[in-house]
Amino acid sequence: MSQERRVIKGIGTSSGVSIGRSYVLERGKIPVPKRKIRPKLREKEINRFRNALQDAQYELRSIKDRLDEEIRKHAFIIDAHLLILQDEFLINSVIDVIKTENVNAEWALDIVVSKILSTLEKIEDPYLRERAMDFEYVYKRLMRLMVKKVKLDLDKINVSGKTIIVAHDLSPADTIHLNLRKIAGFVTDMGGRTSHTSIVARALEIPAVVGAQVASSTIKNFERIIIDGDEGIVIVNPTKEDIRYYKRKQRILKQKKNQYLRIAKLKSETKDGFKVKIGANIELIPEMEIVEKYGGEGIGLYRTEYLYLSRRDVPTEEDHFQVYKKLAERKSFQYVTIRTLDIGGDKFVSHLDLAKELNPAMGLRAIRLCIREIPLFKSQLKGILRASAYGPLRILIPMVSGLEEVLKTKEIINECMKELDEKNIKYDRNIKIGVMVEVPSSCLISDILAKEVDFFSIGTNDLIQYTLAIDRVNEYVSYLYEPLHPAVLKLIKNTVDAAHKEGIEVALCGEMSSEPLYIPVLLGLGIDELSMNPYSIPRAKNVIRKLNHDYCRDLATHVLGMKSGKEAEEFLKKELKDLLKEEWVLNDNRWIH
């Protein structure tokens, strides 16, 4: 029975193919003892809870101390859990429940964390939902300590050879604590692209498939499995044909990686000398090293949401400053683009008193929230301005839909500058201010917006969704998600033309920027900068260096005249198959990603 071939689909979050034997980590749910206590036992329960907090911190610090130097740089994830263990709101809430409800410590912890998770899990944004998992990891650690007094000791797991770890869920501390040098891949039932385990897997370049739902319940120990971290596929008990295909893909990917690393530091310019800036999209400081390794010239998009979601309170101006200063001081980057807060007030725990919204994705979020909650916005802006004294930072305003939002933002930035002047604090007085063009209205008035800002950054992921009115994570309409849809290409062209008329540059920071099939068209449309996942940078450079800009212009003109995205896609596959043959998987008719 166990020899039957099975395919499990998940989310590929760390590139590459691994072929090996499974090791299933059993981390079952811990039953929560629930009992009422007499008032005189309250202090005893409070002490049990406090002891568990201390023990958990000790465990995590011990794990961190034992990491070798290479892996230690990813230990920031453990720090996030240590902060939760010291969070006074969490601690005081549990103690308050013990005192007022007369319940044992485990029950009180369960009540408090369940409320937190219930709030966070209603959030639609997958990145933000992942932050709820931090609380869940901490909750499980505390519960294990109080219920079973069992400490995690994954060091004792005897993994050897090509071992692929399979788990329902894997905490970042668990991930880092494993002997990563012996592990060939990860498969988890839970998680998404922005989960900490995915981030660590990508940072260490270990293939990973998460969100595989039934993996840990259907895969048995030591079964032979293949994971494809690009396509999000797990094959259990693969056939000889499967193994032959994926070994070949492994070889191709390895060759490509070596090839790409050799060209990573080369210029990103076409054969006829047209230069395109190549930047990276990142969200964590440690990712800067990856950007440098893979040849990024700058940071095209630094997402700041993690600053808000990794804590219970709102970050201060000083909190912002310290993070942005590290980015600014990185001498290898020609520019660092800080995107201001791009979530709604409902998506992070704070003291903001905001009404619940039926459709928060189109509600009070991003710049709309910031110009309503000005003290919140000013803290971030002043943090960016102060850090701009240390390096080439620029400010990027998300979700702009009209001129008034830009004018109001500039007014607030000027107020921030005056306040810093009054304190004699240095900053870059000429700091560049840009807007994200990601809703159709901003494209259509890009001629007006271009007179007010220093650069545009087109966010194609949202632009495509809003233009075509489709939710790309909705399986029933995902087929309508067409980056080459004529409406999308015309909006991009309109934005580029308007920007260039006013002498400002246009970046593109969506997933389109790293797709080899689309890069020639984007260059032909006049895009000045592409920003992408750091690992995709050498590949994009490889594509760019094979092209002539005149050819790209002709190609873009031809594609703009097509009637549908599907027609354009088929045309490009045929047109570019020979030119970009290295990106093509022979005999399989698929692109390697």
Side-chain angles (χ1 to χ4, degrees), residues 182-232:
K182 294 182 178 178
I183 291 171
F186 291 109
V187 181
T188 61
D189 299 341
M190 308 291 290
R193 181 164 182 79
T194 52
S195 66
H196 288 315
T197 300
S198 297
I199 291 171
V200 169
R202 285 197 296 275
L204 298 176
E205 302 185 45
I206 297 173
V209 175
V210 303
Q213 298 186 9
V214 297
S216 70
S217 59
T218 58
I219 297 175
K220 295 178 174 57
N221 260 338
F222 311 119
E223 282 191 303
R224 191 167 204 182
I225 63 174
I226 295 173
I227 63 171
D228 185 331
D230 298 292
E231 297 191 19

Side-chain angles (χ1 to χ4, degrees), residues 370-383:
C370 288
I371 59 179
R372 173 182 158 132
E373 301 292 333
I374 292 178
L376 175 88
F377 196 21
K378 278 189 168 180
S379 294
Q380 181 170 36
L381 290 173
K382 286 195 280 189

Side-chain angles (χ1 to χ4, degrees), residues 164-283:
I164 296 171
I165 296 294
V166 179
H168 174 67
D169 195 8
L170 203 54
S171 81
D174 293 346
T175 309
I176 292 177
H177 195 43
L178 290 166
N179 189 339
L180 294 168
R181 300 186 192 290
K182 294 182 178 178
I183 291 171
F186 291 109
V187 181
T188 61
D189 299 341
M190 308 291 290
R193 181 164 182 79
T194 52
S195 66
H196 288 315
T197 300
S198 297
I199 291 171
V200 169
R202 285 197 296 275
L204 298 176
E205 302 185 45
I206 297 173
V209 175
V210 303
Q213 298 186 9
V214 297
S216 70
S217 59
T218 58
I219 297 175
K220 295 178 174 57
N221 260 338
F222 311 119
E223 282 191 303
R224 191 167 204 182
I225 63 174
I226 295 173
I227 63 171
D228 185 331
D230 298 292
E231 297 191 19
I233 289 175
V234 181
I235 302 176
V236 186
N237 295 317
T239 63
K240 289 180 180 177
E241 288 73 24
D242 290 328
I243 293 171
R244 191 179 304 119
Y245 171 78
Y246 280 101
K247 280 189 173 179
R248 180 168 176 269
K249 185 170 181 177
Q250 263 186 329
R251 286 196 301 274
I252 293 173
L253 289 175
K254 187 176 180 181
Q255 290 166 2
K256 282 180 176 293
K257 182 181 174 183
N258 292 334
Q259 173 197 349
Y260 290 156
L261 284 174
R262 284 197 295 274
I263 67 168
K265 300 297 170 63
L266 296 179
K267 293 179 181 176
S268 54
E269 63 180 30
T270 60
K271 290 195 289 189
D272 51 351
F274 178 74
K275 295 177 182 174
V276 187
K277 294 179 185 172
I278 300 287
N281 303 335
I282 65 170
E283 59 195 344

Side-chain angles (χ1 to χ4, degrees), residues 342 365 397-400 436-440 442 457 459 462-463 466:
D342 190 23
R365 53 168 284 207
I397 310 300
M399 197 71 182
V400 166
M436 285 207 73
V437 177
E438 53 189 337
V439 298
S442 58
S457 183
D462 279 344
L463 181 63
Y466 293 137

Side-chain angles (χ1 to χ4, degrees), residues 102-118:
N102 288 322
V103 297
N104 63 323
E106 292 91 336
W107 196 357
L109 176 67
D110 191 59
I111 290 170
V112 171
V113 175
S114 294
K115 284 182 181 175
I116 294 172
L117 294 179
S118 174

Side-chain angles (χ1 to χ4, degrees), residues 462-495:
D462 279 344
L463 181 63
I464 294 166
Q465 290 193 91
Y466 293 137
T467 300
L468 305 181
I470 59 110
D471 178 357
R472 62 181 175 146
V473 300
N474 183 327
E475 60 181 309
Y476 300 110
V477 295
S478 60
Y479 70 97
L480 292 171
Y481 187 85
E482 293 182 353
L484 295 175
H485 191 291
V488 174
L489 295 183
K490 286 177 182 176
L491 287 174
I492 295 174
K493 179 73 164 56
N494 186 64
T495 302

Side-chain angles (χ1 to χ4, degrees), residues 381-410:
L381 290 173
K382 286 195 280 189
I384 298 172
L385 287 170
R386 286 172 57 193
S388 69
Y390 297 85
L393 296 192
R394 43 186 203 178
I395 299 172
L396 181 61
I397 310 300
M399 197 71 182
V400 166
S401 59
L403 176 65
E404 293 77 11
E405 291 162 334
V406 176
L407 297 178
K408 182 63 178 176
T409 299
K410 290 172 70 176

